[in-house]
Structures are given as C-alpha cells and as structure tokens.
Amino acid sequence: MKKRIGSLLLILALCFTLLPTAAFAEENGQSSKITITTVDELLQFAKAVDNGEYDGKADAVVSLDADLDLTGIAWTPIGSKFDTNGTLLHYFSGKFYGNGHTISNLDFSENYGKTEYPSFGFFSEVYGAEISGLTIQGKLDVSNSGYVYFGTVAGVAADSKISDCVSNVSFTDTDKYINGTAAMCGYAIDSTIEYCQNKGNFSITKDVSSFQMGGIVGLAQNSTVQYCANTGDMTSWTPCTGGIVGQLFQNSKIINCYSTGKMVPLGNGTTDFGGIAGIVGAGTEIRHCYFAGEMDLSQYTATTPYKRLGGIAGGVSSDTPVFENNYFVETENVPACFKYQDAGTEKTLDSMKTEDFFNEITAAGGKYRFNSNGTPLLPAPKYTVSFVVTPAELANVVIKVNGQEVANPVDLEAGTYQVEVSADNCEVFNSNITITADTATHTQTIAMTYRKSSGGDDSDPTYAIEVGEDIRNGTVTANRRYAERGDTVTITVKPDDGFKLDDLTVTDKNGNELKLTDKGNGKYTFKMPAGKVTVSATFAPEKTAADYFADVPANSYYADAVLWAAKNGITGGIGNGLFGPNQPCTRAQIVTFLWRAAGSPEPKSMSSFSDVSADSYYAKAVAWAVENGITTGTGDGKFSPDATCTRAQSVTFLFRAIGKLVDSKAEFSDVLTDSYYANAVAWAVENGVTNGIGNGLFGPDNSCTRAQIVTFLFRAYQGK
C-alpha cells in the first residue's frame, strides 16, 4: 500500500523522505479496457477505481471518446480512498487516453482542503500510469485551508507519464493559510511530464507557510519535465514559485520548456521565485528553456540585489545544478539566478521573436517551433512506430526517416515522413508515409515490401538527390533518393506556420540550376540529369497587414482583407506606408480594386466619360468596368470618380463583376424589391459579403470606407 504523501513535512523533509516505490503485481486474467462517452460513465469509472478495481492494473486502458461537461458536480478526485492513518487504499495505474477531448467546468473548490482528500485533482494519486491527450477546464477558489497536493490532472504522480495534456484551471486564494502544492501535477516522483501546457492563472495573495507552485509541476523529485509550456499568470507569496516547476530537486530536469505568463512576486524577498523554477536542488538540470513573460515587481518590497528572484531560477539549495542555453526577458535588477549569474542570458522581448533567436536556441540544442507572432509551439507527442521490412531474406537493411537513420522501432510524432529503405540486393525504396497515433496503444506498425534487384551491372546508373540539411522554417522532401537520367523527380515543400517559400533551387553537379515546374500545392518537378543534384530552399516570414501599412492593427476586423489585397497587388495604400482604412472609398478606387483583383486586363478601348482623363490611374479600370457591364456612370456622360462609393453601389459593382443571381431575396426594410441593387444585396448576404448594419437595415445610401470596401472584396473573392 502507498502511504499518503501529504502527511510528510514539505520542503526540507521532502528532500530526505522518499515515497515507497514497491512494484504492484498485475492480477491474472484479462486486462481492463473501457471507453467513456458520458458523465455517468466517467463517474462509474471513478467509483470503480475507488473500489480497488484498478489497483496495480498497469495493462488497463481507458479511452475518453467525447468531451464532457461536469457543470453542477462537486468533484471528488479519482482514487481518493485513504484510511484514518493516511494510507492510500486504492489508485489508478493503467493508461488513460484523453484523445484530445476536454473535461470542462470541473469544480474543485467545494472539496479542496477536506481531510479525506489530501491529494487532489482529476486523479488523486496515480502509480505506474500513463495519462495523455486530456484537457481540463475548471476553477479552484480556495475556501478551506489544509495540507493538499493539488494538481489539475493528478495530485501525485509516481512512476508515471503525463503527456499532451492541457490545464485551464485558475487557482485563487486570498485569505487562507494553505500548505502543499499547486500545478498541473502537484507532486511528480520518478515520473515524466511532457508536451503539456498550463493556461490557468495562479494567485496566492496570503503569506503561506509551506507551498510549492508551478505552471506544470509543483514539486518534482527524480522526474523530467520536458516540452512543456506555461502561459498563465502567477501572483504569489509562496516559498517556491516557478513558471514551470515550483521546487526542482533530487536529479530532476526541466528541458525544452518555456513560460510566457506574467510573474508577480509578493513579499519582501524571503521566498524563492523564478521564471522557470522557484528553487533548484542537488543534481538538477535546466536546459534549453526560456522565460518570456513580464516580471512585474510593482508589489515586491525586497531590497536589491534580489537574492531569491531570478529570470530562470529563484533560489539554489545545492551547489550542483546544471544550467545550459537558457534565456529570460530583461527586467531591471532581475538576474538569471543570484547564485548562478550565468544560469541564463538576458534578451529583450522583441529579440525573442526574431529568426536570429530561433537559430540561436535551436543551434544550441533547443527544439522549439514558432508561430508568426514569435510564440514557440510545443512539439507534438511522439508515438512508437515499428517498420516491418519484407522479404525477410533482405540483408543489411537501413531505414532512414527524413534523411536520418533510425532504430526500429522509433519514436516519431504523428505526421507525414519521407521513409527510405536500402538493403543488400534490393532496389532503394522511397515513399511518403503518414504516421497516425493509435488511440488504444499509441503504437503503429508499418509494413513495407521491397523488390529484389535483378543483380548484374546496371546499364542505367542512378544518381543521388541530396536535400540540404540546413533548411529552416519549413521542410523540403524529394520523392526518391536516387534517380536515373531523364526521370521526373518531385519535390514537396511545406513551410512552417507563419512562413512562406522564398527560394527553391535544384543544381546539378557543376552548380548549374535546373528548370523547376510548379505543380501547385507545394509540389515541384524537374528532370534528373546525369549526375548528383542538390536541392536547397529558404523560407521567409509571412508578412502581416501591419508590415505593409502602419495604420492597420493586427487585431482589426479588416487586417486579413488588407493583407490579402496588398499581397495580391490590389492596393498599394495612400502613400507613406499608410492604407487609410477610415478614409472614404471613392468610385474610382473601388473599380480600380475590382480591376486589379481581376488581373488588370487591358481594355479594348478607353471610356468616353468626360471626367475620366486618359492619364488617370483609374482610366483603364473604368474602361474595363464599362466593357464588362459593371458600371454605366452616373449620367450626363460622367463617371464621378471622386464621389464616395455607397454601400448599394459597392455590392452592385461586386455583383456585376463576379456575382450570380440567387433565389433568395434581401430581407431589409430599406431595400425595395425593384431597386437596382436588390439582386446584388441578396447575393451579398447569401455569400457572406455583408449582413447589413443592424436593426433589419442594409443602409444602401451609407458611404463606405476603404477598410469596408476591401473587406467586401476579400469576402467576395474568398467565396468565389
């Protein structure tokens, strides 16, 4: 039986007291395997664990196959049966696969702190378990004090693995003296926590006596926390507070993790507070991590130099930690770690979002990927893949995945890979293979059959196709590793999120560039010459609307439309790097936008409007619009290019350019069925171009801004 860990003294006592780790023998008979699709089934599973039906059953498999809403349920953790001496009676030790589903509105508040629940979370304590693919959303407003190991997923995880989980639970305490831990996993011992994220905010505004708080793990003993992220804010008095781990001790590691939430230390400097870890101990490591959140010192009353506050680690209880390749955002008077000034390198927040920073941390061993805003993305969890190669008599089989030789089986993320196999007396085989995770076992077997070589001398020699190894911000793969002269070779290009292909070249053995044919969807082909070829590529960041125009905020409703228009040459703005979103859009401007969206075709002849000079920027656009029945002018031989375009005119121009009659009618009180724009308005509504101005009105005579017109065009052409 497992002793209740919560009965141990925290901090120093925990450094010398080990959790019993006796192995649990599996019971004879068939393993348990169930699926959960309803709240009732979840509660039945919890009851079965509490009754001892899963004790020591490491082969048990539980699959969550639906999102569950626990509104109205006062949660009691799964596996929460303790006797009066604090001995844990029953626990879960199998595999719980969340499969990407969410358990929402989980209310931890009512039962938190009660003596019968010393370890608290979705699970109370797990031993020899695997928990993956689970998102938990809920709340915890402390109303009871007590000694509690709290973890959103598990209060305690021993000899277990928690992966690919997300916690979105905010922990709030304002007036109670509490003890224990708070994190996604309260106390991790001999465990691995990986590919996880915390989104919840933690706020402990009372000076507590003994508490460890971390975005991912509160207290880590002989455990590894890797590829994890914390984006929640932390406001705390607690003795050990860290963006990733509160207290890291006894050979524990934090590797490839980052924290971007705001950190608000409270008190006068008598507690340990760090961007990655609150306090670190003997044999610990923090490698390839960074803290890029705000360190808000507005409520911190300590005097400088701050000895227990750091961008990487707050305090060090031993002289043997290892720090490598860590970064933290610059904050006045905040070192990486007071005792170890070289525990990390200061960076400005802007520099952390640059390609140079990406190159720096990846070259030094970090494995981050970034979105277009510079925020790192967690890598996907890996799955065990076995390659079975036939026929069996093939000798010296070599398997390469994306050009790297791998063992068999190999851990890979779910995704598409270029797999190459070579063997004695066998033709080289090359193929794109999609690897998906089996939700029941997280393993996959891929069988491949290869043709034997006919032997003898080759009359048609093959030549190597080499893809550059220094390609960043995207992947480039060839559909084969070797090809004969004259063969058609296909190159597949896939930019990372936020990037685009900037340049792709294929050169022969003499450095001459070969002709590439764009086949669309990121595929290019070339003819193989008589000799080795080299494929190289560069990827550039995708521009945002703000990169084109300073007056287009990234969060504006028209940002995507302006970006589309700028990238496609539909608008160049009004000069001086401005778009002028709130300026009125003229009739000349809208027909010019439409003409450019159509590819700027040459008109057959110029228009005869008296107010459209032949050398005006919109002359060809107006002529094209007249030829295509988009406009007939405003009467009296005039086009009125400088008049502000109305909503009725704008949808009519669009309708005549690319629209089609629809069966529905415009349901607006100010759009008469016999008006010239009635059909255009009906089409615009049905195609999502506009839904009116509210209160059942379309506003046909309202003037349009440049932002509105470009948004209309964008919506219309997206649905074309």
Side-chain angles (χ1 to χ4, degrees):
M1 288 299 167
K2 304 291 184 181
K3 291 291 183 180
R4 190 188 96 188
I5 305 174
S7 64
L8 303 177
L9 293 176
L10 206 53
I11 306 177
L12 293 178
L14 282 172
C15 294
F16 303 104
T17 306
L18 297 179
L19 179 72
T21 55
F24 286 83
E26 296 184 7
E27 297 179 5
N28 294 327
Q30 296 182 347
S31 63
S32 302
K33 182 178 292 187
I34 67 168
T35 59
I36 296 174
T37 59
T38 67
V39 173
D40 285 342
E41 289 174 347
L42 175 64
L43 297 178
Q44 290 171 11
F45 162 67
K47 184 177 180 180
V49 174
D50 289 346
N51 289 338
E53 297 177 25
Y54 286 86
D55 290 357
K57 286 192 174 180
D59 61 342
V61 175
V62 180
S63 179
L64 180 64
D65 288 359
D67 295 339
L68 301 181
D69 187 338
L70 300 188
T71 299
I73 296 176
W75 187 251
T76 57
I78 299 171
S80 56
K81 293 297 183 180
F82 295 82
D83 65 15
T84 55
N85 296 319
T87 300
L88 178 65
L89 299 176
H90 304 301
Y91 53 89
F92 181 72
S93 62
K95 297 176 177 62
F96 188 98
Y97 296 135
N99 299 316
H101 291 294
T102 298
I103 294 179
S104 59
N105 296 308
L106 193 57
D107 189 351
F108 294 103
S109 303
E110 184 172 330
N111 291 312
Y112 176 91
K114 293 183 178 180
T115 56
E116 60 265 43
Y117 307 122
S119 300
F120 206 83
F122 181 67
F123 286 93
S124 174
E125 300 184 11
V126 294
Y127 295 88
E130 293 182 22
I131 304 169
S132 67
L134 179 64
T135 295
I136 293 179
Q137 181 274 327
K139 66 176 182 177
L140 177 54
D141 295 324
V142 172
S143 58
N144 297 294
S145 62
Y147 194 102
V148 181
Y149 283 93
F150 174 77
T152 303
V153 174
V156 174
D159 194 25
S160 297
K161 177 186 285 188
I162 300 175
S163 64
D164 197 26
C165 291
V166 177
S167 171
N168 194 1
V169 176
S170 292
F171 185 109
T172 304
D173 169 59
T174 57
D175 63 350
K176 297 292 181 183
Y177 288 89
I178 54 179
N179 296 283
T181 65
M184 168 181 277
C185 174
Y187 181 13
I189 179 170
D190 299 320
S191 294
T192 298
I193 316 296
E194 60 185 8
Y195 307 107
C196 292
Q197 181 177 10
N198 170 63
K199 297 181 179 180
N201 299 325
F202 291 177
S203 179
I204 311 296
T205 57
K206 193 71 176 178
D207 185 3
V208 296
S209 58
S210 183
F211 205 73
Q212 288 112 331
M213 185 166 70
I216 304 299
V217 176
L219 181 63
Q221 177 182 348
N222 197 33
S223 294
T224 297
V225 182
Q226 60 185 0
Y227 301 113
C228 291
N230 168 53
T231 56
D233 298 339
M234 291 190 173
T235 303
S236 174
W237 274 89
T238 60
C240 302
T241 300
I244 300 297
V245 175
Q247 181 175 358
L248 190 74
F249 79 113
Q250 276 193 357
N251 304 313
S252 292
K253 302 176 180 64
I254 306 176
I255 302 173
N256 281 313
C257 295
Y258 69 88
S259 178
T260 59
K262 179 190 288 188
M263 304 289 284
V264 186
L266 305 178
N268 58 7
T270 60
T271 60
D272 295 301
F273 198 100
I276 299 298
I279 188 169
V280 298
T284 57
E285 300 177 15
I286 300 180
R287 302 178 186 268
H288 315 307
C289 296
Y290 82 79
F291 167 65
E294 176 188 353
M295 190 69 78
D296 183 350
L297 305 180
S298 61
Q299 302 177 64
Y300 198 51
T301 60
T303 58
T304 54
Y306 302 137
K307 296 183 178 181
R308 303 181 72 173
L309 175 67
I312 300 299
V316 177
S317 62
S318 167
D319 292 331
T320 58
V322 175
F323 298 100
E324 179 184 343
N325 189 39
N326 304 308
Y327 299 87
F328 66 103
V329 68
E330 290 180 2
T331 304
E332 186 176 5
N333 295 323
V334 177
C337 174
F338 180 79
K339 194 170 183 178
Y340 289 86
Q341 297 285 323
D342 59 352
T345 303
E346 279 189 306
K347 291 280 188 181
T348 63
L349 187 57
D350 287 340
S351 70
M352 285 188 174
K353 297 179 180 179
T354 66
E355 184 177 359
D356 289 341
F357 178 67
F358 170 82
N359 293 337
E360 185 176 350
I361 62 175
T362 52
K367 299 182 184 298
Y368 297 104
R369 298 180 296 183
F370 292 83
N371 64 19
S372 58
N373 296 323
T375 302
L377 305 172
L378 293 177
K382 294 183 178 181
Y383 305 97
T384 301
V385 181
S386 297
F387 296 98
V388 178
V389 181
T390 56
E393 62 267 22
L394 291 177
N396 299 322
V397 175
V398 175
I399 301 174
K400 290 187 177 181
V401 177
N402 287 351
Q404 298 296 316
E405 188 172 337
V406 299
N408 193 12
V410 63
D411 287 339
L412 294 171
E413 298 175 13
T416 300
Y417 294 86
Q418 181 188 16
V419 179
E420 306 169 9
V421 175
S422 60
D424 290 352
N425 299 319
C426 176
E427 296 181 3
V428 175
F429 182 85
N430 186 305
S431 177
N432 286 334
I433 293 176
T434 299
I435 294 171
T436 56
D438 186 318
T439 57
T441 63
H442 282 198
T443 63
Q444 186 169 1
T445 300
I446 296 177
M448 302 176 180
T449 302
Y450 304 92
R451 293 179 300 168
K452 278 190 172 183
S453 171
S454 58
D457 295 330
D458 281 334
S459 57
D460 296 314
T462 59
Y463 305 98
I465 302 166
E466 296 184 357
V467 179
E469 296 182 355
D470 59 346
I471 296 174
R472 296 184 180 277
N473 306 317
T475 58
V476 178
T477 57
N479 69 334
R480 60 181 71 185
R481 186 180 175 188
Y482 299 93
E484 297 177 4
R485 178 182 179 181
D487 284 352
T488 298
V489 179
T490 300
I491 303 295
T492 301
V493 176
K494 185 177 181 182
D496 289 346
D497 290 342
F499 290 86
K500 63 179 180 180
L501 178 65
D502 184 49
D503 183 58
L504 176 68
T505 58
V506 180
T507 54
D508 64 17
K509 62 182 180 180
N510 298 317
N512 298 316
E513 191 170 330
L514 303 181
K515 179 183 177 182
L516 284 171
T517 301
D518 187 350
K519 294 294 186 178
N521 296 321
K523 295 187 181 298
Y524 301 81
T525 61
F526 67 90
K527 292 293 185 182
M528 190 69 183
K532 180 187 77 171
V533 300
T534 301
V535 182
S536 60
T538 57
F539 295 89
E542 287 273 15
K543 281 189 175 182
T544 66
D547 292 324
Y548 286 97
F549 305 112
D551 56 351
V552 180
N555 60 352
S556 59
Y557 77 87
Y558 49 84
D560 289 343
V562 174
L563 177 61
W564 165 81
K567 289 172 63 175
N568 288 279
I570 295 170
T571 179
I574 60 174
N576 297 320
L578 301 176
F579 173 67
N582 298 317
Q583 291 188 9
C585 186
T586 66
R587 289 168 51 84
Q589 289 171 347
I590 188 172
V591 295
T592 302
F593 290 161
L594 283 168
W595 175 62
R596 291 172 179 167
S600 302
E602 284 289 326
K604 296 177 182 178
S605 61
M606 302 308 289
S607 70
S608 59
F609 294 123
S610 61
D611 54 356
V612 178
S613 61
D615 59 351
S616 61
Y617 76 86
Y618 48 84
K620 290 185 178 181
V622 172
W624 166 82
V626 171
E627 287 179 1
N628 288 274
I630 297 170
T631 182
T632 58
T634 56
D636 297 327
K638 294 183 178 181
F639 175 68
S640 302
D642 298 324
T644 299
C645 190
T646 66
R647 288 172 55 84
Q649 292 170 345
S650 65
V651 296
T652 301
F653 286 165
L654 271 170
F655 173 66
R656 292 172 179 172
I658 63 173
K660 295 180 180 179
L661 284 172
V662 295
D663 294 332
S664 60
K665 300 297 181 183
E667 300 293 337
F668 297 109
S669 59
D670 56 353
V671 177
L672 300 178
T673 56
D674 59 351
S675 60
Y676 75 86
Y677 48 82
N679 289 332
V681 173
W683 164 82
V685 171
E686 185 162 310
N687 287 275
V689 177
T690 179
N691 288 315
I693 61 174
N695 297 320
L697 300 175
F698 175 69
D701 298 324
N702 291 6
S703 60
C704 286
T705 65
R706 287 169 53 83
Q708 292 169 340
I709 291 295
V710 169
T711 301
F712 285 171
L713 263 71
F714 175 62
R715 292 171 179 169
Y717 275 90
Q718 292 299 103
K720 184 179 177 182

